[in-house]
Amino acid sequence: MSLHPPPVGVLADGDAHRTAETDRSGWPGAVPSRVERPRDVGDVQRVLADAHRTATPVIARGAGSGLAAGAVGVAGAILLDLSGLDRILHLDADEQLARVEPGVITADLDAAAAAHGLMYAPDPGSVGISTIGGNIATNAGGLRGAKYGVTRDHVLALDVVLADGTLIHVGRDTIKGVTGYDLVGLFTGSEGTLGVIVGATVRLIPRPARIATAAAYFADITTAARAVTAITRSGVRPAVLEILDGPTLAAIDDLEGTSLRDRGDALLVIHTDGFGAEEELQVLTSAIASLVSHVETATDAAASESLLFARRRALPALEAIGRVLIEDIAVPRRRLADAVDRIAAIAFEEGVRIFVFGHAGDGNLHPIIVTERGGPNDPVPAEAVAAAERIFALALEFGGTITAEHGVGRLKKQWARRELGADVHALQVRIREAFDPRGILNPGSSL
Ligand SMILES: Cc1cc2nc3c(=O)[nH]c(=O)nc-3n(C[C@H](O)[C@H](O)[C@H](O)COP(=O)(O)OP(=O)(O)OC[C@H]3O[C@@H](n4cnc5c(N)ncnc54)[C@H](O)[C@@H]3O)c2cc1C
């Protein structure tokens, strides 16, 4: 087996986001007993068979860009770094699918598809660093989710190494098929607790011939949230519908030297695609005309990308100003305006700074609680924890969810139980035990 023992706690390339002790959630994990970087599926099978025999915990890891502390080091555990399995094995332009290894970077798959006039639709904000395996394990969403859904909607088949080292293939390499239970759906979003994904067949779709983008600025975020309802009712479904509040715009300005905040106190980035992209964008901008204070539009790729650029820099801009506690709730879209008002009240009452951006088209908000930076092992300040708890409670009160796309990880275990309820939680624990009777896969995470 080809292993490259790294310096203690640090994976091979030493980037900040690749430290084995934590992921991008900043959650303080522990230095694992060893890091394994398999070169092929057989390596993964051998690691798991041995771990199963010795009851050693195994934490699967892609790029470590996760925001729920799902891939963080655990004392005594093997950290299984899948990033070296990074080949696109086959891209079939006629069948419109690709077979990939788990370590393929999401943007690289989309770029390979683009060479055939195709698109890999899921595009998390981390598209340039996250892996397909990590995206599948978290059922990642992304900017294009408003029209194209989440990762689960694009996975046809999976190769998975089970806890005892057995390799299985689930799903099929056809566009349709319903034989047996939907194990592809079950593994997708299972956060490394049911098996290690070592291969995937994913759906590709025609790359849109035309695109159009609008950056619509509003006097405040509550008005922007109302505009989301107007867009939902307009009869046109945008491909991207992102919301950012004024403080987030100011943070991006500070990081990037832009002047977004001068244009308004909230931003909706609206993107349409397909042959009717410009016409659709016109319908959408008309639908929000009475609410908006300033609009910029673009119909070519470079200008569209520059309007989307702000959204992609939102999280790095907040990470630059302090320690971030990243929340990921979804609420029914008609409750978005109520939710942003209530989050502002929580920030005021708890005395913390909360920045808000998110995938408004999916009702998915990322309230980001920013506190003083402190040391890497300092506990999260009590007022930030209190604010986070109230945000989770708010999501459930509104009939929403505590995590729309980042996953439960180690951060949200207690709240996942509350959302699922005792009966469903117990059923999910039994499913987990059926796949992993010795409890070696990502213990302490998810359920
Ligand atoms: C700037 C930024 C923007 C982001 N934007 C989004 C966004 O828009 N939407 C979104 O959903 N997320 C977003 N994320 C979060 C993160 O990028 C996603 O959760 C991503 O899917 C994680 O991929 P990864 O390869 O980094 O996985 P990791 O962080 O390494 O792992 C994540 C989880 O998957 C498991 N896992 C990883 N690989 C495998 C495998 N091969 N088999 C089994 N389990 C595995 C791990 O055990 C862990 O539980 C963002 C993160 C950043 C830093």
Side-chain angles (χ1 to χ4, degrees):
M1 186 181 309
S2 312
L3 300 176
H4 308 279
V8 172
V10 179
L11 295 178
D13 66 6
D15 286 354
H17 71 278
R18 304 296 315 275
T19 63
E21 288 173 73
T22 191
D23 59 5
R24 283 287 283 266
S25 70
W27 176 268
V31 179
S33 70
R34 64 183 204 269
V35 177
E36 303 252 13
R37 301 195 80 212
R39 287 284 170 84
D40 56 32
V41 174
D43 283 351
V44 178
Q45 289 185 268
R46 281 186 284 279
V47 169
L48 281 168
D50 190 49
H52 183 71
R53 191 175 49 75
T54 56
T56 307
V58 177
I59 319 291
R61 183 172 171 112
S65 73
L67 298 172
V72 303
V74 168
I78 299 166
L79 194 115
L80 189 59
D81 172 12
L82 283 310
S83 62
L85 302 182
D86 60 354
R87 290 175 303 161
I88 297 173
L89 300 171
H90 181 59
L91 197 154
D92 188 329
D94 294 330
E95 287 297 327
Q96 301 187 335
L97 52 81
R99 279 193 50 70
V100 299
E101 293 186 323
V104 170
I105 299 295
T106 318
D108 291 349
L109 174 59
D110 189 41
H116 298 269
L118 297 170
M119 175 166 87
Y120 177 66
D123 68 333
S126 52
V127 70
I129 52 173
S130 68
T131 66
I132 295 293
N135 292 170
I136 295 170
T138 55
N139 190 18
L143 277 65
R144 293 194 282 241
K147 181 170 180 179
Y148 296 106
V150 294
T151 300
R152 183 176 284 130
D153 301 315
H154 302 270
V155 183
L156 296 169
L158 292 174
D159 297 313
V160 180
V161 177
L162 297 176
D164 65 359
T166 309
L167 175 65
I168 61 167
H169 181 77
V170 294
R172 54 203 61 77
D173 289 4
T174 52
I175 297 301
K176 290 178 83 174
V178 294
T179 312
Y181 295 129
D182 180 8
L183 295 185
V184 172
L186 183 59
F187 279 114
T188 306
S190 64
E191 302 187 36
T193 64
L194 301 182
V196 175
I197 297 157
V198 291
T201 304
V202 296
R203 189 193 289 268
L204 305 175
I205 58 174
R207 204 161 193 90
R210 299 203 186 105
I211 54 171
T213 307
Y217 293 86
F218 299 84
D220 53 64
I221 189 163
T222 309
T223 311
R226 282 200 202 101
V228 173
T229 305
I231 286 172
T232 310
R233 288 195 189 127
S234 69
V236 168
R237 185 192 278 200
V240 173
L241 180 54
E242 297 288 313
I243 191 166
L244 298 92
D245 72 358
T248 305
L249 296 179
I252 295 166
D253 287 341
D254 287 345
L255 186 72
E256 301 294 340
T258 46
S259 54
L260 307 170
R261 183 70 185 265
D262 296 346
R263 299 178 172 102
D265 205 35
L267 167 64
L268 282 186
V269 183
I270 310 161
H271 179 77
T272 52
D273 64 11
F275 286 106
E278 287 178 43
E279 198 183 342
E280 288 191 347
L281 192 68
Q282 255 173 17
V283 173
L284 294 176
T285 49
S286 304
I288 60 172
S290 63
L291 300 166
V292 79
S293 42
H294 174 75
V295 186
E296 294 163 20
T297 57
T299 53
D300 66 274
S304 277
E305 191 44 48
S306 80
L307 294 183
L308 276 167
F309 173 78
R311 168 59 185 90
R312 295 196 193 279
R313 299 304 290 159
L315 185 55
L318 300 179
E319 288 174 331
I321 59 177
R323 176 179 182 160
V324 294
L325 184 58
I326 301 161
E327 302 311 338
D328 172 40
I329 62 169
V331 297
R333 287 170 294 187
R334 67 187 154 71
R335 305 295 311 265
L336 272 175
D338 296 340
V340 297
D341 280 350
R342 288 274 295 274
I343 291 165
I346 291 170
F348 178 74
E349 286 159 20
E350 298 298 335
V352 289
R353 288 198 294 172
I354 306 181
F355 300 72
V356 178
F357 64 88
H359 311 295
D362 300 332
N364 182 187
L365 292 175
H366 296 311
I368 313 289
I369 304 164
V370 182
T371 56
E372 297 299 318
R373 204 171 293 283
N377 291 319
D378 286 355
V380 179
E383 61 275 20
V385 173
E389 303 263 304
R390 289 182 63 185
I391 291 169
F392 292 143
L394 165 72
L396 297 187
E397 178 195 327
F398 280 15
T401 178
I402 58 145
T403 177
E405 58 177 16
H406 296 164
V408 175
R410 288 169 177 76
L411 283 185
K412 296 167 204 151
K413 269 180 68 167
Q414 298 311 321
W415 280 88
R417 276 175 204 223
R418 287 204 20 198
E419 179 177 330
L420 293 171
D423 290 346
V424 175
H425 181 261
L427 178 62
Q428 296 212 6
V429 168
R430 291 211 300 281
I431 292 171
R432 183 171 181 169
E433 286 166 357
F435 279 84
D436 178 20
R438 306 199 74 176
I440 62 167
L441 294 177
N442 215 351
S445 190
S446 188
L447 287 176

